[in-house]
Amino acid sequence: MTRILVTNDDGVFSEGIKLLAARLRPLAEVTVVAPDREQSAMGHALTLHRPLRLREIGDGVYSVDGTPTDCVSLGLLWLLKDTPPELVVSGINFGLNLGDDVTYSGTVSATFEGTLMGIPSVAFSQEVAKSFSFERSADFAAGLVEVLLRNELPEDLLLNVNFPASEPHGVRLTKLGRRRYQQSVVQKLDPQGREYYWIAGKPVWDESEGSDQDAVAEGYVSITPLHLDLTDYRGIESYRWLQEQLTSVG
Ligand code: MN
């Protein structure tokens, strides 16, 4: 029996995860383990300093009062520990996760956790603009999962998929784009006259041919293969000077 663990960061009651799980159920035994409330921009946070509650709220559907990473941990290390799934899927997120977003994104971080535990993992995110359709994207996601399940997958498979709001022209394999924030922190005063801060700002994308941002802007489904080895291999050579200068330290 093929099994799929489904999670997200928008919460177990969000439309994106309900539709995704529904479309995947004809393909596999689906277990949904997702946060009991929105946990967007939680990144790869793991809850270690308090207990977690796992509640079965439907047939094979569980909520957790924790992060997306907590959900994958409870899914893989507890609920499915004797029957590991073939795939971990996350989403469909309400909003894109492009470029540097992947490091903040709970949606994508959940798939980091799946891959770290040796399960091929795929994150799905949706551009929200006029004429977007979770139904259309969930159909596409199920088609992609069906194709993946027909193939022998490397256990470190990690795909970040973003859907354009419009009907897609096709699919592009892409690299992560680069984004700069024009204004990142706003300072204001509260009613007591004390300063408070709000992290905000308008993203500006670098022009970058072949990026995920480009593909979605041009109306394509973007599939970015990721890996979790953050090593800068060129740096092992190019930072030799650091090693040399440190021989005189300490
Ligand atoms: Mn989200």
Side-chain angles (χ1 to χ4, degrees), residues 100 177-184 201-206:
D100 309 316
R178 265 326 286 284
R179 181 180 67 175
R180 324 262 163 207
Y181 274 101
Q182 278 192 320
Q183 178 197 28
S184 52
K202 227 177 109 177
V204 181
W205 289 91
D206 286 354

Side-chain angles (χ1 to χ4, degrees), residues 9-10 38-41 93-94 97 107:
D9 75 359
D10 292 338
E38 179 166 357
Q39 295 280 336
S40 295
N93 187 59
F94 187 81
N97 279 303
T107 307

